[in-house]
Amino acid sequence: MTSEESVAPAARVIKVAIEDEMKKSYIDYAMSVIIGRAIPDIRDGLKPVHRRTLYAMWGSGNTSDKPFRKSVKAVAATMENYHPHGDSAIYDTLVKMAQPFSYRYMLVEGQGNFGSIDGDSAAAMRYTEARLTKVAEALLIDIEKDTVNFIPNFDGSTKEPSVLPAKIPNLLVNGTSGIAVGMATNMPPHNLGEVCTLLERFIETPDLSIQDILSIMPGPDFPTGGQIMGSEGIMNAYTTGYGRIIVRGVAEVETGKRDTEKIIISEIPYQVNKARMIENIAELVREKKIEGISDLRDESDKDGIRVVIELKKGINAQVVLNLLYKHTQLQTTFGVINLSIVDGQPKVLPVTDILRHFLAHRVEVVRRRTEFELQKARDRFHILLGLLIALDRIDEVIAAIRASPSAEEAGVALIDRFGLDMVQADAILKMQLRRLAALEHQKILDEKTALEEEITRLMELLSSEANILSVIKVETSEIREKFSDPRRTEIALGADFLGKEALIEEKQVFLALTEQNYIKRMPLDTYRQQRRGGRGIIGMSTKEEDCIGSVFVASTHDYLLCFSDKGKAYWLKVYDIPEGSRTSRGKAIVNLLNINDESIQAVIPVANFRSDHFLFFATRNGTVVKIGLDQFSHPRQTGINAIKLRDGDELVDVKCTDGACELVLTTRHGQSLRFHEETVRAVGRGAMGVRGISLRHGDNLQAVTVINFDHLLTITENGYGKRTEFEEFRGHGRGTLGVRNIVTDVRSGMVVASRAISDTDEIIVMTASGIVIRTRVDEIAIQKRSTRGVRIIRLDDGDRVTGFAIVTAEMQTPLDEDDQKEEDDQKE
């Protein structure tokens, strides 16, 4: 080797910075993936592999009017000529285009096992058969009329279309999904009839508003049906190209044997694997995240989906269904990204821009098709002129041809003698003898006349874009009439997400709060009814130094307005209070509320914060304050100041009023004062209030009662109580001492609670040691003022009553056979 040869290779080395080469190579790779693999073209809505597969089937005559062919033939033709990236990728594409649960309008008609919605794979390509559908043919029709550009295939041996003519807005109709480098597309399918109608309207009115679009195309239309919850995500997707659409399966509740209910799922969200969803439900049941399901089975068949979920007796089916929406793929979110290739670049577009680009493509296709047909008509018209010249002088033509030694010389002779060109001369030489007849001559004249009219029509069509748009509108209407079908996906009105309340059954519950602020909730039927004077049952375990402070009944969906002794208000949802057993202690309310050095003195269940209702506050020293309920409608984690207290005073009770109520204030020593709330002016939060009742030395205000039922029920700490007619209490001026309500002495004890009550109600009385009794109000005697009342509960030594809760007639549940028998035995 010479010295020159040894240095020659080094002279051809080009030094490049590694970061520059990596950047350039990676950008090239990324663009290759974006343009050539993962992102569809906005014009025909197809990725290259889909376009190549359809074109290969079209080119081989594998169309809807021909018998099915083995899928392997379509795969082989595609791979051989257009897509050399492996047969599995091509076959997977073909299979997906043939699945009715993947494509809203299938582009391939399959015969054999093409997979299932349960995730089962398709059979091998040698077993299945396929052919194009009529919808696919609408994408390919007119491709032979020079309507689109053709580019060389991978090896230059043939050509393939860069895009399909596409009479159908396939990108909107069938949607698409794909992950490229640094970007992704996820477009939902729509109803073809709605898309075509929208395109027709867009041709007439290009500046459509979002309301106009939604009135025609209200949202995506998935092949698996389902429900779209709300339209906010749809509006965002249509206007910006991005949106989050919440899709639910369709489920109905049916009543089975023995009054048990079952949930029937008939439709599932798009792209959800049914078998995997059922497995997920079963797993949630095993983990006790969803309770109340007794059986789960899949009864789906060729007629459709049917998943049966059997529920246990007494289980609220709607709550279970909401839990399924929350924790399983029975509800999914479809994240819309309208990304497609526009003029060789990836862009995210709103619906109007997608329509505009598709329409521009159709205008180009129709123009090129018209130009192709015009040129073809002109070429034929030119030939017909030559044929007519030959027929008019047929004898001379025959003589000239016979005198020529060869066809080439015969053509030259015709050109020289009759003024024809080579195309006309060649057509005359190819003319059959039968066309010399007079009838054939007339047919040529008729064809010439028809061509003249066709040329005129095509030239007029090309004279303005408005004429082309009219043709597109007609063709779009024909497509709609041919392929449109009813919408499958319902656009449901309602919340776009499931709040916590939707997962909680709404029912009345019993709540107990201790003096040391431990709270719990229990079902109302925890305590069965007993006769007045019974000993009760253990209702709550407490510390030795703790005791039950208050009890009440509320709905699980209610807010609890919790008021502390320092006049602050806090919010708590009833369902956030842990449910406990009959004897459990409960949970420290400090763990549920953000309170410091405070004690909850009053709790008001509130369903709606109405502006025409008020909260009436009463303090230990007899002060009262009235504040609008709507001033407490905005929960704050740290609470708010409700009223301002004087030194040494504290809040003892709060009641909700409608602004026109009469009230009774009751003190610990048994004094009661009746007055109208109109004598107390409504003020804003943070007010100090006015005098409600005057107190004797050593006495303090114990309760506020709203006069809205039959009687005033007053109970003392030693278990005595009575009902009193409200007429017994004459209206006194606010701020006076009032009158005697009940005897408070060593035997009866001091007043612990006083509330208005209906004769059909029941009460749940609780003691400091946690003993509870539930009894009917009509068993408690109606007595005059200044009496002790009757014994309601028999107490153990050292125990005392701390309060009672009211169970109205609407809250009461019928007794079952065993409970009814026990009550009958008690009566006997």
Side-chain angles (χ1 to χ4, degrees):
M1 180 181 295
T2 65
S3 59
E4 290 80 2
E5 291 174 336
S6 63
V7 298
R12 292 195 296 269
V13 174
I14 302 173
K15 291 184 178 181
V16 179
I18 184 67
E19 59 270 19
D20 293 338
E21 181 61 27
M22 288 291 294
K23 181 178 180 180
K24 178 179 180 299
S25 298
Y26 192 76
I27 290 176
D28 291 343
Y29 162 73
M31 289 306 297
S32 174
V33 172
I34 292 168
I35 303 297
R37 188 186 306 175
I39 308 300
D41 193 289
I42 195 170
R43 295 168 291 179
D44 60 7
L46 297 172
K47 302 176 188 178
V49 65
H50 297 80
R51 185 181 303 115
R52 290 165 178 168
T53 303
L54 296 176
Y55 182 65
M57 296 176 70
W58 172 270
S60 62
N62 194 7
T63 53
S64 62
D65 58 342
K66 305 286 177 54
F68 285 95
R69 296 182 187 175
K70 288 291 185 180
S71 299
V72 68
K73 288 187 175 182
V75 172
T78 305
M79 186 166 61
E80 177 187 4
N81 297 310
Y82 310 115
H83 198 77
H85 302 296
D87 57 350
S88 61
I90 300 171
Y91 185 53
D92 289 345
T93 299
L94 185 146
V95 165
K96 190 171 183 180
M97 290 192 291
Q99 292 175 334
F101 50 85
S102 294
Y103 269 56
R104 181 62 178 85
Y105 298 90
M106 294 181 295
L107 302 181
V108 173
E109 183 180 0
Q111 187 166 272
N113 176 15
F114 276 82
S116 73
I117 200 170
D118 290 323
D120 299 321
S121 300
M125 66 182 80
R126 63 182 178 272
Y127 299 121
T128 61
E129 297 178 335
R131 64 184 179 188
L132 293 176
T133 63
K134 292 185 180 298
V135 174
E137 290 170 1
L139 298 175
L140 290 150
I141 195 168
D142 295 332
I143 198 169
E144 73 283 353
K145 295 182 179 180
D146 191 33
T147 51
V148 294
N149 293 331
F150 278 72
I151 57 177
N153 70 338
F154 63 92
D155 62 358
S157 61
T158 185
K159 289 189 175 183
E160 62 176 302
S162 60
V163 69
L164 300 186
K167 278 190 175 182
I168 295 174
N170 185 59
L171 190 61
L172 285 174
V173 167
N174 274 321
T176 188
S177 63
I179 300 175
V181 179
M183 59 184 64
T185 183
N186 198 35
M187 300 183 65
H190 292 80
N191 184 274
L192 185 145
E194 294 173 357
V195 173
C196 290
T197 302
L198 181 62
L199 182 62
E200 293 175 48
R201 180 74 175 276
F202 184 76
I203 293 172
E204 299 171 355
T205 312
D207 56 343
L208 287 176
S209 66
I210 183 61
Q211 288 75 22
D212 294 332
I213 295 173
L214 290 174
S215 66
I216 299 171
M217 189 174 71
D221 189 23
F222 299 108
T224 55
Q227 293 179 324
I228 294 176
M229 307 307 296
S231 58
E232 182 179 354
I234 299 172
M235 292 179 65
N236 291 336
Y238 284 1
T239 55
T240 68
Y242 295 97
R244 294 176 68 253
I245 298 175
I246 296 177
V247 186
R248 285 184 181 178
V250 174
E252 295 181 352
V253 177
E254 295 182 0
T255 303
K257 298 179 180 179
R258 300 178 182 177
D259 295 330
T260 58
E261 292 183 321
K262 54 185 177 182
I263 298 172
I264 309 298
I265 301 174
S266 56
E267 296 175 12
I268 62 176
Y270 183 49
Q271 296 176 333
V272 168
N273 185 311
K274 175 167 62 69
R276 196 171 302 154
M277 183 191 74
I278 295 173
E279 290 176 4
N280 187 22
I281 295 173
E283 183 66 24
L284 291 170
V285 173
R286 283 193 295 270
E287 295 176 355
K288 298 189 180 300
K289 291 183 179 179
I290 298 179
E291 297 182 346
I293 295 178
S294 61
D295 190 22
L296 172 64
R297 59 184 182 273
D298 186 1
E299 298 180 355
S300 305
D301 55 23
K302 62 180 181 180
D303 295 325
I305 293 174
R306 179 179 170 86
V307 178
V308 181
I309 302 174
E310 298 274 3
L311 304 180
K312 298 175 182 178
K313 187 175 183 180
I315 296 297
N316 188 311
Q318 189 58 51
V319 172
V320 175
L321 187 55
N322 288 340
L323 287 169
L324 293 174
Y325 289 143
K326 182 75 173 180
H327 297 294
T328 75
Q329 285 193 302
L330 192 59
Q331 175 173 304
T332 61
T333 299
F334 190 98
V336 177
I337 307 173
N338 290 340
L339 177 71
S340 57
I341 302 301
V342 182
D343 297 330
Q345 295 182 347
K347 291 184 179 180
V348 176
L349 301 174
V351 166
T352 50
D353 284 355
I354 294 174
L355 292 173
R356 184 172 294 108
H357 284 289
F358 174 77
L359 191 57
H361 172 60
R362 284 300 299 163
V363 168
E364 178 68 14
V365 167
V366 172
R367 176 180 285 114
R368 291 180 62 164
R369 182 187 68 191
T370 305
E371 290 173 348
F372 177 87
E373 292 175 346
L374 178 60
Q375 186 60 46
K376 188 177 179 181
R378 284 173 170 171
D379 291 344
R380 179 60 180 168
F381 184 81
H382 182 65
I383 290 173
L384 292 179
L385 290 178
L387 293 178
L388 289 174
I389 291 174
L391 290 175
D392 288 339
R393 302 170 64 181
I394 189 61
D395 293 335
E396 296 178 46
V397 169
I398 293 174
I401 295 174
R402 293 182 66 181
S404 301
S406 65
E408 289 77 10
E409 294 181 8
V412 173
L414 293 177
I415 293 172
D416 293 341
R417 291 187 59 182
F418 302 104
L420 304 174
D421 60 19
M422 182 58 71
V423 174
Q424 292 173 322
D426 186 60
I428 292 172
L429 292 173
K430 293 179 180 178
M431 187 173 61
Q432 298 173 340
L433 292 177
R434 63 180 177 84
R435 304 208 68 175
L436 299 178
L439 183 60
E440 292 298 326
H441 185 273
Q442 184 60 44
K443 286 185 178 180
I444 293 175
L445 288 174
D446 293 341
E447 184 180 356
K448 174 178 172 291
T449 303
L451 280 175
E452 287 175 339
E453 295 175 355
E454 178 69 6
I455 290 171
T456 302
R457 183 187 70 82
L458 293 174
M459 292 180 64
E460 183 179 357
L461 178 57
L462 290 170
S463 64
S464 72
E465 187 171 295
N467 294 336
I468 295 177
L469 290 174
S470 297
V471 171
I472 295 172
K473 188 175 179 182
V474 171
E475 291 181 351
T476 303
S477 177
E478 292 172 350
I479 290 291
R480 185 185 70 246
E481 295 297 325
K482 188 174 182 180
F483 297 117
S484 66
D485 60 355
R487 164 174 279 276
R488 298 180 188 177
T489 302
E490 175 189 355
I491 310 298
L493 301 176
D496 288 345
F497 63 94
L498 280 175
K500 192 173 181 180
E501 282 190 12
L503 310 178
I504 305 295
E505 180 181 2
E506 185 171 8
K507 61 181 179 180
Q508 299 295 323
V509 293
F510 174 75
L511 298 106
L513 178 68
T514 72
E515 290 186 351
Q516 291 194 2
N517 281 184
Y518 281 82
I519 191 169
K520 71 172 180 179
R521 64 181 172 95
M522 295 164 287
L524 276 182
D525 56 6
T526 301
Y527 307 106
R528 291 186 302 180
Q529 188 187 104
Q530 297 184 32
R531 295 181 65 84
R532 176 183 61 82
R535 297 193 65 87
I537 60 175
I538 296 176
M540 189 171 186
S541 297
T542 61
K543 291 182 177 180
E544 291 183 3
E545 65 274 14
D546 195 8
C547 59
I548 304 299
S550 59
V551 290
F552 48 93
V553 175
S555 166
T556 50
H557 285 194
D558 284 350
Y559 269 108
L560 291 185
L561 277 178
C562 303
F563 299 96
S564 75
D565 55 350
K566 295 184 179 181
K568 291 192 70 175
Y570 299 88
W571 289 262
L572 181 63
K573 274 291 190 177
V574 172
Y575 55 67
D576 284 330
I577 300 171
E579 184 170 311
S581 64
R582 178 169 58 85
T583 58
S584 65
R585 179 183 175 193
K587 189 177 185 68
I589 203 168
V590 69
N591 295 326
L592 302 174
L593 300 176
N594 189 12
I595 60 176
N596 296 304
D597 300 325
E598 297 173 81
S599 175
I600 299 301
Q601 291 294 102
V603 179
I604 302 292
V606 178
N608 298 298
F609 293 88
R610 297 175 53 172
S611 60
D612 59 346
H613 279 54
F614 301 88
L615 290 177
F616 199 90
F617 298 79
T619 71
R620 188 168 300 281
N621 291 341
T623 299
V624 294
V625 185
K626 186 169 74 170
I627 304 174
L629 179 60
D630 59 342
Q631 295 191 40
F632 297 85
S633 60
H634 301 290
R636 295 182 191 172
Q637 188 175 3
T638 57
I640 59 173
N641 291 319
I643 65 171
K644 185 177 181 181
L645 295 170
R646 294 176 173 85
D647 292 340
D649 201 0
E650 65 180 32
L651 182 68
V652 294
D653 202 3
V654 184
K655 288 293 185 291
C656 187
T657 69
D658 61 7
C661 294
E662 285 192 285
L663 305 168
V664 175
L665 303 181
T666 302
T667 72
R668 182 169 173 76
H669 288 176
Q671 289 291 114
S672 290
L673 172 63
R674 175 177 177 175
F675 65 93
H676 203 285
E677 70 166 303
E678 290 179 350
T679 60
V680 181
R681 182 173 57 89
V683 294
R685 289 190 294 104
M688 191 172 289
V690 296
R691 171 65 59 186
I693 186 172
S694 295
L695 301 171
R696 292 189 174 95
H697 178 71
D699 199 1
N700 59 264
L701 185 59
Q702 187 71 13
V704 179
T705 303
V706 179
I707 301 177
N708 53 1
F709 290 113
D710 300 331
H711 300 97
L712 179 67
L713 175 63
T714 305
I715 296 180
T716 62
E717 58 188 358
N718 288 347
Y720 287 86
K722 67 173 181 176
R723 289 183 291 161
T724 307
E725 301 283 356
F726 282 110
E727 287 75 11
E728 294 281 324
F729 303 97
R730 299 187 305 276
H732 287 66
R734 178 178 57 79
T736 61
L737 287 170
V739 295
R740 172 70 66 181
N741 173 14
I742 192 170
V743 173
T744 55
D745 54 17
V746 176
R747 180 179 173 186
S748 63
M750 299 294 106
V751 173
V752 294
S754 182
R755 298 177 65 181
I757 200 161
S758 174
D759 295 340
T760 59
D761 291 343
E762 297 176 359
I763 61 170
I764 298 176
V765 182
M766 183 166 278
T767 73
S769 63
I771 300 298
V772 172
I773 187 172
R774 177 173 174 173
T775 188
R776 292 202 304 261
V777 168
D778 59 11
E779 292 188 355
I780 302 174
I782 300 175
Q783 295 184 358
K784 298 288 186 179
R785 293 188 299 105
S786 301
T787 57
R788 180 179 288 107
V790 297
R791 187 181 295 279
I792 294 177
I793 183 172
R794 193 174 300 278
L795 302 174
D796 294 330
D797 292 340
D799 200 3
R800 62 184 177 85
V801 173
T802 58
F804 69 90
I806 299 173
V807 182
T808 64
E810 292 78 12
M811 302 175 186
Q812 298 166 22
T813 55
L815 298 175
D816 59 27
E817 294 181 2
D818 294 338
D819 291 338
Q820 187 65 52
K821 185 176 184 300
E822 181 176 340
E823 179 169 328
D824 294 340
D825 292 342
Q826 289 179 350
K827 291 181 178 179
E828 292 177 0

